Amino acid sequence: MEIDNLIMKILNKNFLIATWLILCAVILRIVFNKLQWWNFSPITAMALFAGYAYTNKRFSFLIPIAAMLLSDLYLGLHSGMIIVYTAIGIVTFIGLFLSGKSIAYIIGGSLVSSGFFYLYTNLVFWYSPELYPISWSGQIQSYLAALPFFKASVVSDLMFTGILFGVYHFIKQRERAPQIL
């Protein structure tokens, strides 16, 4: 009986809608990467959305990490994966606090997530000293070099956050609307 309940929870409509939207985000990450639109990606928005949309909090964290891993297996594994995956987990955690909040909070959550991801993943002590000196000067160099990528991230995060949250709420509203035949 426990297994039946677990299967029913997994296969509920909200879970399927959220998972479908996240799979679309993974496909877009791969497409934009192949087009060399660096950091124009739905990944941060996907993690924020997962924290918001899944009632089972294990899935909130598992789905974005699994999605990243699947797309990284296709795009290529890299030495910064632990740093990026940790950042994705923290962005998912931010999404947990957005449930039931207004659109202003969701936009703010997207901007905070973009800023956090930029600051965290560009810390110089994550990387070898050959790339940037592990000093205040090296840190500034790292952040300045990453500014063009940050701009693309903010734009894509806001855009994909709007799409993911908007489609999700549109579908949920249609679900609640009375059927007229």
Side-chain angles (χ1 to χ4, degrees):
M1 212 48 157
E2 274 285 318
I3 293 175
D4 291 340
N5 288 339
L6 178 63
I7 291 170
M8 291 310 290
K9 282 182 180 178
I10 290 173
L11 295 179
N12 77 45
K13 258 188 204 179
N14 289 343
F15 178 86
L16 291 175
I17 292 167
T19 301
W20 180 81
L21 290 170
I22 287 172
L23 287 174
C24 289
V26 170
I27 291 167
L28 287 173
R29 177 182 184 231
I30 292 170
V31 167
F32 291 139
N33 191 283
K34 290 297 179 184
L35 292 172
Q36 297 181 352
W37 292 8
W38 309 123
N39 280 47
F40 192 85
S41 168
I43 294 302
T44 305
M46 175 191 65
L48 192 70
F49 176 72
Y52 174 87
Y54 288 109
T55 54
N56 182 327
K57 297 311 169 199
R58 285 179 292 204
F59 284 112
S60 292
F61 291 92
L62 179 65
I63 296 295
I65 297 300
M68 278 293 292
L69 182 59
L70 287 173
S71 58
D72 277 342
L73 287 172
Y74 179 79
L75 295 170
L77 304 177
H78 53 90
S79 62
M81 287 173 58
I82 292 174
I83 299 153
V84 171
Y85 286 37
T86 302
I88 293 294
I90 293 169
V91 169
T92 304
F93 190 73
I94 293 168
L96 296 175
F97 293 103
L98 297 177
S99 293
K101 301 287 191 223
S102 71
I103 192 161
Y105 279 93
I106 293 169
I107 292 168
S110 179
L111 292 170
V112 166
S113 296
S114 298
F116 166 75
F117 195 88
Y118 165 76
L119 293 171
Y120 182 76
T121 59
N122 288 292
L123 285 171
V124 293
F125 59 84
W126 296 134
Y127 304 103
S128 67
E130 292 83 39
L131 192 56
Y132 298 105
I134 301 177
S135 65
W136 182 247
S137 171
Q139 187 61 65
I140 298 301
Q141 289 173 18
S142 172
Y143 285 145
L144 289 174
L147 273 177
F149 302 105
F150 177 56
K151 290 174 186 174
S153 293
V154 171
V155 170
S156 64
D157 290 345
L158 286 170
M159 184 180 93
F160 288 113
T161 294
I163 291 169
L164 288 169
F165 282 80
V167 168
Y168 181 73
H169 283 286
F170 175 77
I171 291 170
K172 285 186 76 164
Q173 290 295 74
R174 284 193 73 220
E175 208 174 81
R176 290 186 212 140
Q179 297 292 325
I180 301 172
L181 294 176

